[in-house]
Amino acid sequence: MHSLKSNIPIILILLISVFIFSILIIYPLALLIVLGFPLIPKALSVMSFIQAIEVTVTMSTLSALIAIIMGTPIAYVMARYNFHLKSIVDAVIDIPIMIPHIIVGIMVVLAFASYYGLGSILKAHGINFINTLWGATTAVAFLSSTYYIRVVESSIVMINPEMEAVARTLGASPLRVFTSVILPRIWRSMATGAILSWARSVSEAGALFIVAYYVLFGKNLVYPASVYIYESYVGIGLVNAVEFSAALVAVILVIFVIYRVLISIGGGHA
């Protein structure tokens, strides 16, 4: 280990880094905590906001499940196999995090709610993507699945392929090899990727402005939490938006802590 005391340039760079981090990350978060957290009980007493949280948690959880089901096989193939056009597939996986979110909303409408795409077929079967949980989940899943795929792919790459080869020579099928050799070694990374995907979905607003500005949830039209906060800011003012923002952050932190505790109890740290 090198001592920082003898390396003045590194110390200066580190101080600049810490200063920028403090101003950019810690300061806004601390200000929201100081001003907003005393107002959390008031925010959580508003039934329409509770419904907004319910919609957001529901669509984000569905999005994370989609990421797991869709992303795990893709991550495995990308980590273990070389094939033609792999570089193109690799680039396509990253595209969702580079496209402006408003455009993602337009893409979802175009693909699933217009006569240019599958809209007419889906509507004929009673499936509507505009202002529904279907549309909201599709939009956030498009934007968040990349995070899951990359985390799991990196974890699989770290596993020695010879372990799989030995299992195959002992007569195990590819599926048995995956469930007995790979899965026990990547489930923590899967859990980490899932919570990252979930958190990314919770934070989404831009695509929802297009696809699901409000969601038909049960018999009620409910804003997703991010849209709800935007409406409170535009319609009432900054103080009201701070109140609901702090409440949403608190709910997310509670869910995150509970999730991490459950992962730890399940056998180690994700």
Side-chain angles (χ1 to χ4, degrees):
M1 296 291 291
H2 298 285
S3 174
L4 284 177
K5 293 180 179 180
S6 60
N7 204 322
I8 301 301
I10 291 181
I11 294 176
L12 291 176
I13 292 172
L14 181 61
L15 288 175
I16 293 172
S17 175
V18 170
F19 174 76
I20 295 174
F21 181 82
S22 300
I23 296 297
L24 192 62
I25 307 297
I26 297 177
Y27 167 63
L29 183 60
L31 197 60
L32 179 68
I33 292 173
V34 171
L35 297 178
F37 269 48
L39 302 173
I40 288 177
K42 180 183 175 183
L44 295 179
S45 67
V46 179
M47 184 52 61
S48 59
F49 182 62
I50 295 297
Q51 291 175 330
I53 292 176
E54 290 176 356
V55 165
T56 300
V57 170
T58 300
M59 74 175 188
S60 300
T61 302
L62 291 173
S63 172
L65 291 174
I66 290 172
I68 293 170
I69 296 170
M70 175 187 71
T72 304
I74 294 175
Y76 181 79
V77 169
M78 295 301 294
R80 281 292 183 256
Y81 296 98
N82 291 315
F83 52 89
H84 292 299
L85 305 180
K86 181 178 179 179
S87 59
I88 295 177
V89 175
D90 195 56
V92 169
I93 291 172
D94 289 331
I95 284 177
I97 63 177
M98 296 184 287
I99 299 177
H101 298 183
I102 291 292
I103 295 178
V104 171
I106 296 296
M107 289 166 54
V108 171
V109 172
L110 184 65
F112 301 107
S114 75
Y115 290 101
Y116 296 103
L118 299 176
S120 57
I121 299 174
L122 293 172
K123 286 180 180 179
H125 290 83
I127 301 174
N128 181 24
F129 272 71
I130 301 298
N131 295 328
T132 65
L133 201 56
W134 286 96
T137 301
T138 300
V140 297
F142 181 97
L143 288 162
S144 63
S145 296
T146 297
Y147 299 95
Y148 176 85
I149 294 172
R150 290 312 189 193
V151 169
V152 176
E153 179 186 353
S154 298
S155 179
I156 295 173
V157 167
M158 298 294 291
I159 300 173
N160 190 343
E162 292 184 4
M163 299 176 65
E164 297 171 70
V166 170
R168 291 297 302 275
T169 60
L170 294 175
S173 66
L175 181 60
R176 180 66 184 276
V177 171
F178 181 82
T179 56
S180 61
V181 177
I182 300 298
L183 194 59
R185 290 168 173 80
I186 68 167
W187 74 267
R188 295 179 183 85
S189 295
M190 292 173 64
T192 299
I195 195 64
L196 288 175
S197 177
W198 183 88
R200 179 63 195 82
S201 298
V202 169
S203 67
E204 180 51 34
L208 296 179
F209 285 164
I210 303 295
V211 180
Y213 199 80
Y214 55 82
V215 174
L216 182 61
F217 195 66
K219 296 182 179 180
N220 301 315
L221 294 176
V222 180
Y223 292 126
S226 56
V227 178
Y228 189 99
I229 293 169
Y230 170 78
E231 281 287 324
S232 68
Y233 173 70
V234 173
I236 302 177
L238 179 61
V239 174
N240 195 253
V242 167
E243 174 184 322
F244 293 118
S245 297
L248 181 60
V249 169
V251 171
I252 292 171
L253 287 176
V254 169
I255 293 174
F256 181 76
V257 169
I258 292 173
Y259 185 87
R260 297 287 293 199
V261 169
L262 292 176
I263 294 301
S264 297
I265 293 174
H269 299 288

